[in-house]
Amino acid sequence: SVEPAATSLADELNAVWSPDGNQLADQGNATGRSEVYVISRSHRDAAWGDVRQLTVDGGVDPSWSPDGRYVAYLWDNGLRLVAPDVSDSRVLVGTEDPAVMPAPAFAVWSADSRTVYYKAYDAERRSSIWSVPVNGGTPQLLVTFDDPSRPSFRREFACDGQRFFFTIARHESDIWVMDLSTG
C-alpha cells in the first residue's frame, strides 16, 4: 500500500509510477489549474518525501519514459517533456492551429525511450496517431482514423513496440448498470 506524505493538493488524478517504482507523478490543481507533481523516495522501503511541482505553466496526463529520464505531459495543445529534477523542460510538439497540425491529446513511450507516440485530434475532431523523436524533429503520421464508420474517440491507446491498441467506437448514449457485491 502506498502512503505518500500528506499534501494540500485537491483533485489529484492520473497518477503514474516511475519505472523504478520510487517516484509517482500525477496531476493536481493546487495552483488553480492542472499541474504535474511528483513525490519521491530513495528506495522501496524509504519514507516518501515532499510533493514537488514539476510544471509551472500547466500540465495533464503525465507519462514516465521507460528509462525514467522524462515525464511527458500535455498542455495548451502541445506535447511537452520535463525531467524529474526539472533540469530539462521543453515543448516537443506544439500546435497553434489543429487544422494544420492535429493537437496532441495523449502520449505513450516507445520501449527504448527514444520516441513518443501520441494520439491527436484535428479541427474536425478526427483522431490520428503520430510519433516524434524525443530529441525533437518533425512528427510522423502513423495511423489515421478517417473512416467515419470506424472512429476512435477515446484518447487513450497503448503500444507494445510493434502494434497499437485503441478503441473503435460509435456515438451512443446507452446507460449501463452494474451490480456490486462485497466479499
Side-chain angles (χ1 to χ4, degrees):
S1 104
V2 176
E3 296 181 23
T7 71
S8 61
L9 301 180
D11 298 325
E12 295 175 62
L13 1 133
N14 300 326
V16 290
W17 288 103
S18 64
D20 67 2
N22 289 321
Q23 297 182 87
L24 190 63
D26 69 3
Q27 71 188 61
N29 68 359
T31 64
R33 70 169 170 243
S34 288
E35 299 284 357
V36 177
Y37 297 85
V38 69
I39 187 168
S40 304
R41 60 186 176 185
S42 59
H43 59 281
R44 290 198 186 250
D45 295 325
W48 290 95
D50 293 330
V51 173
R52 293 182 294 113
Q53 186 174 334
L54 290 185
T55 61
V56 294
D57 56 356
V60 297
D61 292 327
S63 174
W64 285 95
S65 62
D67 63 10
R69 291 182 52 213
Y70 292 102
V71 175
Y73 65 98
L74 291 298
W75 191 252
D76 198 25
N77 288 334
L79 171 60
R80 300 172 181 218
L81 298 180
V82 63
D85 65 2
V86 197
S87 62
D88 184 8
S89 178
R90 58 195 152 101
V91 175
L92 192 58
V93 177
T95 301
E96 298 298 322
D97 182 358
V100 176
M101 172 62 79
F106 191 78
V108 298
W109 289 86
S110 64
D112 63 6
S113 298
R114 293 182 184 170
T115 303
V116 179
Y117 302 108
Y118 64 94
K119 195 162 190 186
Y121 293 92
D122 66 15
E124 280 81 41
R125 298 295 299 154
R126 291 177 301 220
S127 59
S128 51
I129 297 176
W130 298 70
S131 69
V132 64
V134 170
N135 294 332
T138 303
Q140 299 296 310
L141 176 61
L142 303 175
V143 178
T144 59
F145 297 94
D146 53 4
D147 180 347
S149 68
R150 299 178 55 81
S152 182
F153 300 122
R154 294 186 59 92
R155 60 189 178 79
E156 301 90 353
F157 72 101
C159 178
D160 69 358
Q162 297 178 348
R163 295 173 295 260
F164 293 111
F165 301 90
F166 46 82
T167 303
I168 296 293
R170 60 185 160 175
H171 285 292
E172 294 181 345
S173 59
D174 295 337
I175 296 174
W176 293 77
V177 176
M178 176 174 54
D179 292 326
L180 299 176
S181 62
T182 59

